[in-house]
Amino acid sequence: MSAPAPSERAFVPFVSVDNMMKLVHRIGVETMLSGIAEYVEEDFRRWELFDKTPRVASHSKEGVIELMPTSDGVTYGFKYVNGHPKNTKEGLQTVTAFGLLADVYTGYPVLLTEMTVLTALRTAATSAVVAKHLAPKDAQTMAMIGNGAQSEFQALAMKEICGIKTLRLYDIDPKATEKLMRNLEGRGLTLQPCKSPEEAALGAQIITTCTADKQNATVLSDNMVGTGVHINAIGGDCPGKTELASGILSRSDVFVEYPPQTRVEGEIQQMPEDFPVTEMWKVITGQAEGRTSDRQITLFDGVGFAIEDFSALRYVRDQLEGTGLYHDLDMLADPDDPRDLFGMVMRANPEGGETA
């Protein structure tokens, strides 16, 4: 007897890199950033429903490989992601990722997708959601220090969601800044290349640091940060990797995603264990104050958290219907008799008899 064709439940929609890029173009990059931001904010508002745990990390001297799981009780999600700063010198991406959604009731996966592009989109969307709540009112100028793979997404999210009009740009590699300016030409932003991080920060109401080196760097020194600014520090994402002088943290009100993870991976790893922070979901739900004065320095110590990936995965799942921008992968063994997995395997023998 020949093996039956796979059931519908055996197939899982898979979004390849090619199809993710097609989805971005179909929706529009700024519209997609805005859409993901809405999903992120929605999930921040129901933060207490989620399973939360620091990501499971495997560190090496070259970088880190991580799993980032969460569930809202109905849907489960996780992301596989690496961070290898040395990769750029070898012509490779610093960050690669893929992610999955599953039905909690059955445990069956319902979506598998690339997340290298999607992580860049969700990180930028999250930064903009935070800045919407914390940045000075009517902020129009942002310094972008670190002009690598994440920078254009950050810039466009801040433009679309927060109204940023001018970018002051600095990277230790001038070619990275040239790349950013070439990619953002004609997108409605005034682009100002700068010769130093000090020059970039001058006159900016928002400062975003987004560098990749796995070291305790001082991208922003204490004297570069005046009163009244908002800082998005998103480059620190593992132990031993920071971007800001500790003096800046001491003068700032610091906002985080999930303290048990941020205290290990974020800028606040430099500070005592009892250093005060505010969870961002509490600001968004009105349970904690955000910006309270024009002179206050607000600082988002963003390391990336699984709920943000969950939001991005939900968004992609909800956009796919009718697009054809996915492949059905025969991923799940689903025999007619769930107790007869062996029989299903045996019936699959193309020779029609016992295997040797």
Side-chain angles (χ1 to χ4, degrees):
M1 180 184 294
S2 62
S7 73
E8 288 186 6
R9 290 173 298 186
F11 291 100
V12 178
F14 167 63
V15 182
S16 65
V17 174
D18 181 56
N19 276 329
M20 182 64 74
M21 293 189 294
K22 289 176 180 175
L23 186 66
V24 171
H25 285 286
R26 176 182 289 233
I27 296 171
V29 62
E30 292 176 36
T31 302
M32 192 163 177
L33 284 163
S34 183
I36 293 172
E38 290 176 6
Y39 276 58
V40 168
E41 185 156 357
E42 179 182 320
D43 286 339
F44 268 68
R45 292 186 185 279
R46 59 193 193 110
W47 191 266
E48 293 171 287
L49 292 177
F50 285 89
D51 293 336
K52 293 176 282 292
T53 182
R55 51 188 156 207
V56 181
S58 176
H59 294 280
S60 67
K61 61 184 176 64
E62 290 83 15
V64 63
I65 295 173
E66 300 167 331
L67 295 179
M68 301 173 64
T70 192
S71 171
D72 66 356
V74 176
T75 305
Y76 170 89
F78 84 86
K79 181 173 77 173
Y80 165 97
V81 62
N82 77 293
H84 284 63
K86 60 86 182 173
N87 277 6
T88 304
K89 296 176 182 177
E90 300 173 13
L92 303 172
Q93 283 284 301
T94 298
V95 174
T96 64
F98 65 86
L100 178 145
L101 287 180
D103 175 35
V104 168
Y105 181 71
T106 64
Y108 276 38
V110 297
L111 176 70
L112 177 66
T113 178
E114 83 80 38
M115 285 197 77
T116 307
V117 175
L118 188 56
T119 292
L121 289 161
R122 79 85 160 123
T123 302
T126 301
S127 293
V129 167
V130 170
K132 184 178 75 170
H133 287 274
L134 297 181
K137 186 178 180 181
D138 300 324
Q140 295 187 357
T141 300
M142 181 173 79
M144 173 67 71
I145 301 175
N147 301 160
Q150 175 65 218
S151 57
E152 293 92 346
F153 298 95
Q154 289 283 327
L156 291 176
M158 289 294 185
K159 169 181 173 285
E160 179 70 11
I161 296 165
C162 301
I164 289 298
K165 296 180 179 179
T166 299
L167 283 182
R168 298 178 63 79
L169 307 169
Y170 174 76
D171 194 288
I172 194 170
D173 180 2
K175 291 182 179 179
T177 303
E178 293 170 7
K179 175 268 306 179
L180 184 153
M181 295 182 68
R182 184 170 61 249
N183 285 340
L184 294 185
E185 184 179 1
R187 288 193 171 269
L189 287 162
T190 299
L191 307 174
Q192 300 176 342
C194 299
K195 296 180 180 179
S196 68
E198 290 88 350
E199 182 184 347
L202 192 64
Q205 292 101 21
I206 299 174
I207 302 172
T208 295
T209 58
C210 186
T211 60
D213 281 348
K214 188 180 177 182
Q215 61 176 324
N216 292 122
T218 305
V219 176
L220 283 186
S221 58
D222 196 7
N223 64 351
M224 291 165 57
V225 178
T227 59
V229 302
H230 172 67
I231 302 169
N232 271 343
I234 62 170
D237 57 6
C238 66
K241 182 184 177 189
T242 57
E243 297 179 314
L244 309 185
S246 61
I248 299 173
L249 300 172
S250 299
R251 294 193 292 123
S252 303
D253 289 314
V254 178
F255 300 82
V256 303
E257 294 137 314
Y258 184 58
Q261 181 172 298
T262 311
R263 291 192 189 277
V264 174
E265 300 178 352
E267 295 298 323
I268 58 173
Q269 66 183 273
Q270 307 176 66
M271 309 305 283
E273 290 185 8
D274 60 351
F275 180 77
V277 298
T278 301
E279 293 181 65
M280 198 61 217
W281 71 269
K282 292 183 178 180
V283 176
I284 290 173
T285 58
Q287 298 180 46
E289 290 186 317
R291 175 167 292 276
T292 57
S293 77
D294 293 339
R295 297 184 59 79
Q296 179 187 17
I297 301 171
T298 54
L299 193 160
F300 175 52
D301 191 359
V303 298
F305 190 62
I307 293 173
E308 298 152 15
D309 297 309
F310 183 93
S311 306
L313 287 164
R314 281 203 309 118
Y315 176 84
V316 168
R317 178 197 62 191
D318 290 351
Q319 310 312 308
L320 283 182
E321 187 174 352
T323 67
L325 297 178
Y326 60 89
H327 303 287
D328 279 326
L329 295 187
D330 182 9
M331 269 185 64
L332 305 176
D334 190 50
D336 291 343
D337 180 351
R339 299 166 298 181
D340 193 20
L341 184 63
F342 182 82
M344 184 188 77
V345 173
M346 290 299 100
R347 289 190 294 274
N349 181 8
E351 303 300 325
E354 286 286 335
T355 54

